[in-house]
Amino acid sequence: MQGRSLVALLVVLYASAFLAGFNENLVNMALMSIMGEYGVDSVAAQWLVTGYMIVATIVVMCMAFMYRRFKLRPLYFAAAAFTLVGSLMGLFATSFELLMAARLVQAAGSGIFIPLMMNTVLVVAPKHKLGTFLSIGGCMITFGPALAPTVCGALVTSFGWHSVFAVPLAAMAVLALVALFAVKNMGFSPAHLDIPSTVLSAVFLCALSLGLVELTIDVALAVGSLAVAVVTAVLFVLRQLRCEHPLIDLTPMKSRAFWPSVVLTTIAMMGSFSMSVLLPLYLEGGTGLTAFAAGLLMLVPVLANAGTTLLGGRIMDARGEWPLLPAGFAAIAAGFVVMAALAPTLSLPAAFVAALLIMGGTGFIFSPSQTAGLRTLPPEMNPFGVAISTTFVQIAACIGPSLYTGIMSTAQTGALAAGVDAALATAQGFSIAMVVAACIAAAGCALALVYSRAAVKRDAKRARSM
């Protein structure tokens, strides 16, 4: 595939990955309105985000099988169908249960689109430009959920929360029409889906998310759920190592050049996805901004994220991991520290600066850390490397909002019980959640420092041996 046909294919896949990312944060700016309309609290409402991520993660884990078993074209249009149906359901949802179902159907489409794009890029991109090609894809994946608050905030304020589902409905219809001509078949080889592994992964993700949400609310339930998560995780790994047709080949995780990159990506995206859920709750519930105004405040950090994602890919191709990855994590950690320290003051400039640091730093981490690991793998391991990397990104999207929303909700409830004003209680709960996020980001910075220096030594050794 050459020339215009390749460009057309990549444009459609990049745009579809953008839409998948956009859908991840589709309802974030509408959570306050949904909570008011259906009479649910923030812990219940966040399952519209976490439940979506769980389904998307399960589909992502199956993509190593699906990408080898099915050709590109039927996979693409299956994802398009899920997106269209889920968006229609959300547009006309009349209850919280129907809205949840709509989000889960949408999630199946997103779970296909993102690894489909990454696997195709790995096949068609020149090796020496892999960082640039993946950074464009990474920009789409991160720019989609980052832009969603601005667009959806305006829609919620002007037309009500149902209107946010009109965006993916219209965009997917246009992309599907273009894809009829641009998406050609490629791939297909014998593959088998291991059903027990799929079930174990679903139980693990549900138990992990529930345990993290309840960690500061119902300790007994949290401990039980986390115990189930640990047991199912162990069983899942053992099955992948022993069964004839594993859901995900874990061979890449044996590489010391690969697995730390997965951890780095996970830590960075935990913070990014959590901010997309918690920051709107803080801005609307704490500072009193409308959904539209909150979205506007997040616009510049969103653009910074897109810019640093593209710049990070180019730096990765030119200079490698050092000092890019530690610098990115340092910015993220600094942003969380600023947010934790100044959130109780309800200062909008402080929230803006902190969001700018966090989103900008995440752009320097996401695609470069994925590229750092994936470029060390042999070609036959690419589908599994992509499956592992994207799976952990989705896991980050499950556990980040679950953990931090639970912490924020518990601290907020305690403040309200002590007689604190509702807005200040929201701010205090948000601040405590940001303290935990800052600690996790600092750990990521330390790992990035060790990993990037090891990469410098590994590249120097390879250069001497050539």
Side-chain angles (χ1 to χ4, degrees):
M1 186 177 293
Q2 299 292 332
R4 293 181 179 178
S5 60
L6 176 58
V7 171
L9 172 63
L10 289 177
V11 167
V12 169
L13 292 179
Y14 283 145
S16 300
F18 169 87
L19 183 60
F22 187 93
N23 282 344
E24 289 178 352
N25 287 355
L26 187 69
V27 300
N28 291 14
M29 300 306 293
L31 290 179
M32 293 294 290
S33 299
I34 292 169
M35 288 160 59
E37 180 169 333
Y38 294 131
V40 298
D41 61 16
S42 61
V43 173
Q46 67 86 32
W47 281 100
L48 292 171
V49 179
T50 301
Y52 178 101
M53 294 304 182
I54 289 173
V55 172
T57 304
I58 294 169
V59 175
V60 164
M61 294 177 75
C62 295
M63 273 301 292
F65 155 76
M66 289 192 286
Y67 187 76
R68 290 175 297 142
R69 179 62 180 82
F70 302 105
K71 293 186 178 180
L72 181 61
R73 191 175 173 88
L75 276 176
Y76 182 89
F77 284 105
F82 281 122
T83 303
L84 287 168
V85 172
S87 300
L88 272 173
M89 291 172 63
L91 189 62
F92 298 105
T94 55
S95 68
F96 185 77
E97 291 75 17
L98 288 176
L99 179 59
M100 177 64 76
R103 291 290 288 159
L104 300 185
V105 173
Q106 276 188 321
S110 295
I112 295 174
F113 275 139
I114 292 175
L116 191 67
M117 177 272 293
M118 292 184 66
N119 273 301
T120 304
V121 167
L122 286 171
V123 170
V124 302
K127 197 74 171 179
H128 66 285
K129 292 185 177 180
L130 182 59
T132 299
F133 275 75
L134 284 178
S135 72
I136 296 173
C139 181
M140 296 298 102
I141 295 170
T142 57
F143 191 45
L147 186 62
T150 304
V151 175
C152 295
L155 289 172
V156 170
T157 301
S158 302
F159 304 106
W161 67 263
H162 282 278
S163 64
V164 301
F165 287 92
V167 176
L169 184 64
M172 192 69 260
V174 172
L175 283 173
L177 183 62
V178 176
L180 287 172
F181 306 97
V183 176
K184 309 298 182 184
N185 274 329
M186 56 188 295
F188 188 86
S189 61
H192 302 271
L193 180 63
D194 186 58
I195 300 298
S197 295
T198 307
V199 173
L200 285 171
S201 67
V203 174
F204 162 71
L205 291 168
C206 291
L208 179 63
S209 298
L210 178 61
L212 291 173
V213 167
E214 298 292 335
L215 193 58
T216 54
I217 301 172
D218 186 334
V219 176
L221 177 59
V223 170
S225 295
L226 292 175
V228 171
V230 170
V231 171
T232 51
V234 171
L235 292 175
F236 177 83
V237 171
L238 291 175
R239 183 160 184 85
Q240 304 318 293
L241 296 175
R242 296 175 181 178
C243 75
E244 184 179 358
H245 303 291
L247 184 64
I248 298 179
D249 189 330
L250 298 179
T251 300
M253 293 298 282
K254 298 177 182 178
S255 168
R256 287 184 294 178
F258 179 79
W259 71 259
S261 72
V262 174
V263 176
L264 292 174
T265 304
T266 303
I267 293 174
M269 298 312 291
M270 273 183 66
S272 177
F273 282 117
S274 300
M275 284 294 290
S276 70
V277 176
L278 268 65
L279 188 55
L281 293 176
Y282 167 71
L283 293 175
E284 294 177 56
T287 67
L289 293 182
T290 64
F292 178 54
L296 282 179
L297 185 141
M298 297 173 68
L299 180 59
V300 173
V302 164
L303 296 176
N305 178 267
T308 55
T309 298
L310 291 172
L311 180 60
R314 295 181 68 85
I315 294 174
M316 183 67 191
D317 282 339
R319 298 179 59 87
E321 296 85 346
W322 173 263
L324 180 64
L325 298 184
F329 268 111
I332 294 172
F336 280 128
V337 169
V338 171
M339 197 74 83
L342 299 181
T345 68
L346 303 179
S347 168
L348 292 178
F352 172 81
V353 170
L356 189 64
L357 286 169
I358 294 166
M359 298 301 290
T362 301
F364 282 128
I365 298 297
F366 179 45
S367 289
S369 59
Q370 286 187 314
T371 302
L374 290 172
R375 69 180 182 178
T376 65
L377 299 178
E380 64 272 13
M381 285 289 105
N382 280 342
F384 299 109
V386 168
I388 292 170
S389 182
T390 51
T391 293
F392 273 87
V393 169
Q394 297 301 127
I395 289 175
C398 294
I399 64 178
S402 299
L403 174 62
Y404 298 137
T405 300
I407 294 171
M408 178 179 174
S409 177
T410 301
Q412 183 180 359
T413 301
L416 288 171
V420 176
D421 172 76
L424 187 57
T426 299
Q428 289 179 359
F430 178 71
S431 175
I432 292 173
M434 294 300 96
V435 170
V436 178
C439 294
I440 294 175
C445 187
L447 177 60
L449 182 64
V450 174
Y451 179 69
S452 58
R453 294 308 298 168
V456 170
K457 295 178 181 178
R458 185 173 62 250
D459 291 343
K461 183 178 180 180
R462 185 183 301 115
R464 288 195 300 268
S465 64
M466 291 178 64

